[in-house]
Amino acid sequence: MGREEDVIEAGGDVERDFQQDEKPDFSGGAEEVVGMQELDPALDRKMHLVNNALDQIGWTNYHLKLFFLNGFGYGVDALQLSLQGIIAVQAVLEFQPSYDKGLTIALYMGMLIGALFWGFFADIIGRKIAFNISLFICSVFTIAAGAAPNWVGLGVLIAVAAFGAGGNLILDTAVFLEYLPSNKQWLLSLLPAWFGVGCTIAGLVAWGFMPNFSCSDASDCTRANNNGWRYLMYTMGAFIGVLAVARVTVIRLQETPKFLVGQGRDEEVVDNLQGIAKRYNRPCNLTLAQLEACGTVNSAHSTNRFSVGEFMVHLRSLFLTKKMGFTTMLLWLSWTSIGLAYPLFNVFLPYYLASRGVQFGVTSSFETWRNYALVQVCGIFGPVLGAFMCNWRPLGRKYTMVIGALITMAFFFAYSQVKSQTENIAYSCVISFTLEIYYGVLYGYTAESLLSAHRGTANGIAVAFCRLGGTFSSVVATYADPSTTGPVFVCAALYGGLALFAVLFPFEPYGKRAA
């Protein structure tokens, strides 16, 4: 970093390219969300050139495939969350444990460890390996969980399956974003629509199994008359296995060009981007000479990739400037809050619907699971609206999150006044829709406001805070009975705080390019 003059002299052609490309012809402008000019000028210039190349290539069928394949990861993450909430009631009746919220803790601890492990792993080894194997781990242990002989065994298998699924949200955002042209970065906020797809699939399959193969009384609940939740786990585990196979057969993923830049593997960066351009008959003027003329990247890694020092390099990257440090703290607060609020509604939704249904004279398990499926379908469309809103200049990412959080807060408060089964379903559907507006854009904002070389670790830590909040949700639900409105009021207050955090975010990624 101390030889900037030499770099500029060696890279005169690149400097002229920078001057010519200050206002290139693409939607969104040439400025990066987070600049590294003063911290690592070589990395900043190389990232600028890679972004120019991605914009020149534009949107292709390769990106469309990535949207679906990365979406599978989002869907599986949500599916795991839903499965735990769905099977918990029946598993408790069968095993009669001393602490009936144990599965929630097991799930979130597995996802917490998975987020940290896969995030750090992705920054050291790369996105490709983790992307290809995480769903296989999730598939195997989801199927195994269906055969669990006792409560402890079920909790352990759920935790390992969650460990596999837990890295997907980190990997999927990184892989997709680091290939996107800048005028399509808003699609990162559309990706969470797959959350709703995953929840809906779990709900529909549960609707088929749970009413017909479940016991209703703890005094007479055995494996013989309570196999519905096991059938559900077998089916969903096999389904995840199919998605895992699709990931390695539909597309042969190469390491993302922005990860390769941080690794100093300039030749692979050029080969990767030129290969895509050639395959889809698109222009790409990036050359190896241009990247090499920018100098050597100094800030991305330590001398020993497998060390505490390497982790500290990635951790310190979150606080390189006051602005970045403030963003990091707000992201951690936001993810912890949403991690507490989201499961209080989504994971414990079967409890809400069942208890409210009883109040309003609905005792059929068939109707309960039908209603659950309806609520999950509505969640698909929240990120769709959020993605279009955040790509509108007056709102951008920040104020789309503010609107989504405030509307969700209002409907949570209104939900406490429900007086009929129709209102019960209507409000649940609306909340499922509005909370996904906020949640979807938060995922996109987090990835866009992080540096590529440290994106996996930074995103992993943020999502780990989300999982920690999810673990606490089981404690809140224990003392605030999920069959009452207590957790609903907690959710409403948390969404009010999330709106405030969104206002305070210093970066606005709209119209800028991810670093």
Side-chain angles (χ1 to χ4, degrees), residues 182-231:
S182 62
N183 65 344
K184 299 296 184 182
Q185 283 179 192
W186 62 274
L187 288 172
L188 205 64
S189 296
L190 179 60
L191 205 60
W194 289 93
F195 268 129
V197 175
C199 291
T200 299
I201 291 172
L204 291 174
V205 177
W207 186 10
F209 285 128
M210 302 300 283
N212 301 313
F213 303 98
S214 298
C215 61
S216 58
D217 188 349
S219 63
D220 182 28
C221 190
T222 65
R223 181 165 183 168
N225 66 358
N226 192 44
N227 272 318
W229 69 268
R230 296 181 185 275
Y231 296 153

Side-chain angles (χ1 to χ4, degrees), residues 69 72 76 135-136 138-140 143 234-250:
L69 296 175
F72 292 167
V76 168
L135 287 189
F136 280 108
C138 184
S139 171
V140 170
I143 294 173
Y234 296 147
T235 304
M236 292 295 90
F239 175 70
I240 295 169
V242 172
L243 300 183
V245 171
R247 275 194 165 187
V248 297
T249 56
V250 173

Side-chain angles (χ1 to χ4, degrees), residues 66-77 118 122 127 130-132 134-135 164-180 187-188 191-192 194-195 247 253 256 443 447 455 459:
L66 283 178
F67 178 78
F68 281 90
L69 296 175
N70 285 284
F72 292 167
Y74 271 80
V76 168
D77 183 277
W118 294 113
R127 284 61 160 133
F131 180 83
N132 286 339
S134 58
L135 287 189
N168 278 291
L169 301 184
I170 294 91
L171 298 167
D172 296 332
T173 53
V175 169
F176 193 46
L177 176 61
E178 292 174 12
Y179 271 109
L180 279 177
L187 288 172
L188 205 64
L191 205 60
W194 289 93
F195 268 129
R247 275 194 165 187
L253 182 71
T256 68
Y443 270 108
R455 183 168 285 131
N459 208 358

Side-chain angles (χ1 to χ4, degrees), residues 43-98:
L43 179 59
D44 187 75
R45 292 166 181 168
K46 289 185 179 184
M47 200 62 66
H48 186 95
L49 289 175
V50 168
N51 276 330
N52 286 347
L54 290 171
D55 287 328
Q56 188 177 28
I57 294 170
W59 177 265
T60 67
N61 284 338
Y62 184 79
H63 298 92
L64 182 62
K65 291 177 183 178
L66 283 178
F67 178 78
F68 281 90
L69 296 175
N70 285 284
F72 292 167
Y74 271 80
V76 168
D77 183 277
L79 189 148
Q80 285 292 320
L81 290 171
S82 296
L83 286 179
Q84 185 275 320
I86 290 169
I87 72 170
V89 177
Q90 294 306 129
V92 166
L93 288 177
E94 181 177 332
F95 296 124
Q96 299 183 39
S98 58

Side-chain angles (χ1 to χ4, degrees), residues 74 173 185-193 195 331 335 338 382-391 395-405 434-449 502 505 508-510:
Y74 271 80
T173 53
Q185 283 179 192
W186 62 274
L187 288 172
L188 205 64
S189 296
L190 179 60
L191 205 60
F195 268 129
L331 284 173
W335 279 103
I338 194 68
V384 176
L385 177 59
F388 284 100
M389 289 172 63
C390 77
N391 197 43
L395 296 178
R397 276 51 159 174
K398 289 174 53 175
Y399 289 101
T400 299
M401 287 190 284
V402 171
I403 292 171
T434 60
L435 67 82
E436 291 291 354
I437 294 175
Y438 172 88
Y439 210 175
V441 179
L442 178 65
Y443 270 108
Y445 182 91
T446 302
E448 286 182 291
S449 60
F505 278 130
E508 173 49 69
Y510 174 84

